[in-house]
Amino acid sequence: AAGVIQSPRHLIKEKRETATLKCYPIPRHDTVYWYQQGPGQDPQFLISFYEKMQSDKGSIPDRFSAQQFSDYHSELNMSSLELGDSALYFCASSLAAGVYTGELFFGEGSRLTVL
Amino acid sequence: SQQGEEDPQALSIQEGENATMNCSYKTSINNLQWYRQNSGRGLVHLILIRSNEREKHSGRLRVTLDTSKKSSSLLITASRAADTASYFCATDAPWETSGSRLTFGEGTQLTVNP
């Protein structure tokens, strides 16, 4: 069965550079979520999209932006990178069932290292 | 502060023993979910329990939910070395909007020794 695809799996950037992460949700899933997970930490919610519209926003820095495109894939853009941005970035998708958040299907993550 | 706090932070047991992990949360919920994460990998959904349910089973997993105490427990019976992973509880947002967040607790690192 198709899973959530994230790319790239690994990337290394210098401080103040820009990075773009891509996420391809499971076909027919209408909701995409982005999470950030630091070493030994729990996943922190960044932002979500339902039917290509932003549906919820968490602790996402102003330097970060995201969008969901017409084909439902999503991109997380991160600018002016800081050392503290080094983390695993997960994308997850789900099929909305009413207004309650159901099961999320996670990708394998993109590991960002900022030097 | 975290919506979900888990206890214990780390648990080490022998194969065949049972493992119990607890989660507490602060706000009202519609449902609570448990996820598993192998080191450096994506999270995998284990089980979802709705706010009007008190207990749910799935294979070797048993989840309880006490909304009056805002707490949940995950019991893994007859543990195996392959169960070694981090386990997170996650709660949905109290507001009713499609696509709203899941908030994860701090996780329990379970080690099952062969």
Side-chain angles (χ1 to χ4, degrees), chain A residues 35 42 48 56-57 101 108, chain B residues 35 37 41 99-102 105:
Chain A
Y35 283 84
D42 55 285
S48 60
D56 196 1
K57 190 172 182 179
T101 302
E108 287 297 325
Chain B
Y35 287 79
Q37 183 181 33
R41 305 292 300 275
S100 54
R101 72 190 70 182
L102 278 187

Side-chain angles (χ1 to χ4, degrees), chain B residues 46-60:
Chain B
L46 295 175
I47 196 166
L48 179 154
I49 185 165
R50 302 193 186 284
S51 59
N52 62 354
E53 298 176 309
R54 293 295 167 259
E55 187 171 314
K56 200 163 183 179
H57 297 255
S58 176
R60 294 184 296 114

Side-chain angles (χ1 to χ4, degrees), chain B residues 10-105:
Chain B
L11 179 62
S12 181
I13 60 175
Q14 296 300 122
E15 238 178 357
E17 294 181 336
N18 296 341
T20 300
M21 290 159 270
N22 303 297
C23 164
S24 62
Y25 57 92
K26 294 184 172 64
T27 66
S28 62
I29 60 171
N30 299 302
N31 67 60
L32 184 144
Q33 305 181 38
W34 285 88
Y35 287 79
R36 164 201 168 115
Q37 183 181 33
N38 285 52
S39 181
R41 305 292 300 275
L43 287 85
V44 176
H45 178 266
L46 295 175
I47 196 166
L48 179 154
I49 185 165
R50 302 193 186 284
S51 59
N52 62 354
E53 298 176 309
R54 293 295 167 259
E55 187 171 314
K56 200 163 183 179
H57 297 255
S58 176
R60 294 184 296 114
L61 305 180
R62 173 178 170 256
V63 169
T64 63
L65 179 63
D66 187 334
T67 53
S68 67
K69 295 181 179 178
K70 291 187 168 60
S71 67
S72 173
S73 68
L74 171 68
L75 168 67
I76 304 174
T77 60
S79 63
R80 306 165 181 167
D83 294 329
T84 295
S86 292
Y87 291 83
F88 295 90
C89 69
T91 51
D92 66 347
W95 53 87
E96 298 177 357
T97 306
S98 295
S100 54
R101 72 190 70 182
L102 278 187
T103 301
F104 286 84

